[in-house]
Amino acid sequence: MSLLDIDERILELVDLVDLDVSPFDDKKAFDRQVDVGFVEGGCSNEYNVKELREFRKHCRILISVGACAINGGVPAMRNTIGLRECLEAVYLNGPSLEGAGMIPNDEDLPLLLDRVYPSHEIVKIDYFLPGCPPSGDAMWEGLKALLTGKAPTLPYLLCKYE
Amino acid sequence: MVAASFKFNIDGIEVEATEGQSVIEACDEAGIYIPRLCHHPELPPSGNCRVCTCKINGRHSAACVTPAAHGMVIENDTPQLTSDRRAVIEMLFVEGNHPCPYCVASGDCELQALGYRLGMVAPTQPYQWPERKIDATHPDIYLDHDRCILCSRCIRASRMEDGKTVFGFEGRGIAMRLNVDAQGGLGETQMAAIDKAASVCPVACIVIKRHNYQVPNGSRRFDKTPIGSDIEAKRTRRQS
Ligand code: SF4
Ligand code: SF4
Ligand code: FES
């Protein structure tokens, strides 16, 4: 969503690209190949993995955008604690629980992975746009490079891990 | 007696050095930046991070522990050395836990700044997610071992400057850890917040409590200018 931080430049962008699967048009699944895919967020459950693999299959160039996609971000705080311990702390021993708790186990819930994985540990990623989130200028810099067939590289002031 | 002076060559630039200087000290004085992490200008060198590795007379050597000598020919700023150094920085990122977005040192951290300067966009080596404990036993300082890169600056500062032995290493290789000389943690040691050892950590492992997030984003040490700019400015000034 930090794509929106490019502000009015989005008008320039829509003249140059067709948005396919995105939160803006609410199209949820690919039905054709596209040139560029941006992924945000790491993989914390099996649904994330499936989705990421779909992106890889349908995008010629796949870009990891933001700290969560790149290193797991805040959700990855659980990686050094362990999944069982986290679930027990919240659902069995949480301070706000009344009576005996229960770890959610509905079959509709995507299964959690043992830890949160950065995107590039699941599929091949072509480029990275770091930041938490990447600034509008960084997004724009990346987009400009892609539109002109170049590899996105960020100048010092725009390349930030935070 | 004035120490004898002599010249050596780094990346085609002639540098004057005096007897007893290391390569990194002579280059700092001449305004040529050699990336480094464990080296601190006010502490004796230890040569344990290898980020400062240059090709000195054809051999890879750490510039912080190599004495400058007459006629040396040194390669520093080459694509290969930059890529080797970036690999070292990447390994340090994945060996510890480094969530820059919410870390107190962000913008002021030498590890992060080296990542920027050496062109690391994202670490791509496998994350290790080590389990390391925070030591908050001291009233004024906490130790966040997740961030420790084992540079030994605090060990040297405590021994040489503070006359204490608060810090040391235990274990070897990937299992090496920083420890303190008391069973009950830092709070039981002689450590004080005004110690040299409390101010030399290049990352956010040794952190003074109640003094964080005070400098706004944009005004911190490495927000606008890359690490090493202060050293390089000496040379630009001389040339102009
Ligand atoms: S210590 Fe430096 S590299 Fe590590 S998380 Fe903090 S800012 Fe990032
Ligand atoms: S605590 Fe800081 S100064 Fe000490 S070894 Fe770790 S990183 Fe270096
Ligand atoms: S700075 Fe020379 S080895 Fe670390």
Side-chain angles (χ1 to χ4, degrees):
Chain A
M1 290 305 273
S2 46
L3 190 58
L4 289 177
D5 289 338
I6 66 173
D7 298 329
E8 72 280 1
R9 288 172 288 195
I10 199 142
L11 299 174
E12 240 177 282
L13 187 66
V14 288
D15 284 340
L16 297 166
V17 305
D18 295 320
L19 283 181
D20 198 76
V21 174
S22 90
F24 305 116
D25 53 16
D26 211 28
K27 180 172 167 186
K28 300 247 185 325
F30 287 100
D31 49 19
R32 57 171 174 165
Q33 293 299 115
V34 303
D35 289 319
V36 181
F38 287 81
V39 287
E40 53 181 17
C43 288
S44 70
N45 61 41
E46 56 174 359
Y47 171 76
N48 301 145
V49 173
K50 204 173 125 252
E51 192 74 358
L52 182 59
R53 292 205 170 121
E54 277 297 295
F55 264 76
R56 181 67 278 182
K57 228 185 337 187
H58 293 94
C59 305
R60 204 165 52 80
I61 298 173
L62 193 57
I63 306 179
S64 216
V65 182
C68 292
I70 287 172
N71 68 15
V74 171
M77 276 178 140
R78 77 163 156 99
N79 289 8
T80 56
I81 296 167
L83 181 58
R84 175 177 293 276
E85 209 182 314
C86 275
L87 290 172
E88 286 178 354
V90 176
Y91 295 107
L92 299 186
N93 310 316
S96 58
L97 284 177
E98 282 174 15
M102 187 192 114
I103 293 176
N105 193 23
D106 193 290
E107 58 183 29
D108 284 340
L109 291 174
L111 210 59
L112 288 173
L113 304 179
D114 61 334
R115 60 172 194 251
V116 179
Y117 291 82
S119 306
H120 64 265
E121 289 187 6
I122 305 285
V123 298
K124 179 178 181 292
I125 294 290
D126 299 299
Y127 302 113
F128 299 88
L129 283 177
C132 186
S135 65
D137 288 342
M139 296 292 287
W140 186 241
E141 206 60 39
L143 286 165
K144 268 200 308 198
L146 291 164
L147 283 165
T148 46
K150 294 194 204 99
T153 48
L154 296 176
Y156 188 82
L157 289 178
L158 297 183
C159 183
K160 300 288 164 200
Y161 307 151
E162 42 153 357
Chain B
M1 199 185 83
V2 182
S5 83
F6 51 85
K7 290 190 168 120
F8 64 84
N9 188 296
I10 177 161
D11 291 337
I13 302 160
E14 198 151 79
V15 168
E16 202 164 302
T18 47
E19 201 66 52
Q21 274 186 319
S22 65
V23 168
I24 216 168
E25 283 169 336
C27 288
D28 279 3
E29 224 174 273
I32 293 163
Y33 175 68
I34 300 172
R36 82 289 304 269
L37 198 41
C38 67
H39 180 69
H40 187 288
E42 288 149 32
L43 299 173
S46 68
N48 64 345
C49 77
R50 314 318 277 187
V51 170
C52 68
T53 300
C54 291
K55 229 171 173 180
I56 303 180
N57 291 339
R59 289 183 51 182
H60 286 98
S61 324
C64 68
V65 285
T66 305
H70 176 73
M72 273 177 163
V73 177
I74 304 176
E75 285 174 43
N76 169 42
D77 190 5
T78 68
Q80 184 59 52
L81 286 168
T82 300
S83 136
D84 293 348
R85 289 166 181 158
R86 194 168 50 229
V88 173
I89 297 299
E90 267 199 42
M91 284 193 264
L92 292 172
F93 262 89
V94 300
E95 270 173 30
N97 295 307
H98 291 277
C100 296
Y102 52 88
C103 175
V104 292
S106 254
D108 207 28
C109 164
E110 294 178 41
L111 178 65
Q112 184 186 65
L114 277 164
Y116 294 151
R117 167 136 193 164
L118 298 171
M120 183 190 86
V121 189
T124 49
Q125 302 187 39
Y127 286 95
Q128 303 297 304
W129 307 112
E131 196 189 328
R132 299 187 192 165
K133 296 269 175 276
I134 286 183
D135 177 348
T137 54
H138 194 285
D140 303 317
I141 305 163
Y142 70 86
L143 291 184
D144 187 348
H145 289 283
D146 274 344
R147 316 284 185 266
C148 182
I149 52 168
L150 306 168
C151 70
S152 84
R153 280 188 192 177
C154 57
I155 301 177
R156 284 173 278 154
S158 185
R159 293 206 181 137
M160 316 288 182
E161 300 285 323
D162 305 331
K164 305 175 182 177
T165 49
V166 173
F167 297 101
F169 285 144
E170 63 179 22
R172 285 277 174 271
I174 192 85
M176 189 149 122
R177 290 287 176 271
L178 184 75
N179 66 13
V180 297
D181 71 346
Q183 287 288 332
L186 193 65
E188 283 183 7
T189 68
Q190 299 291 308
M191 182 87 179
I194 49 159
D195 285 357
K196 186 78 180 163
S199 68
V200 292
C201 183
V203 291
C205 180
I206 302 178
V207 182
I208 311 279
K209 294 179 180 175
R210 299 176 292 276
H211 286 276
N212 298 300
Y213 302 110
Q214 285 176 344
V215 183
N217 193 328
S219 313
R220 301 163 308 176
R221 217 163 19 138
F222 305 120
D223 279 339
K224 301 248 162 69
T225 44
I227 189 168
S229 304
D230 49 339
I231 291 171
E232 287 166 327
K234 292 187 210 164
R235 189 169 131 78
T236 335
R237 266 204 302 278
R238 209 160 302 150
Q239 278 172 334
S240 53

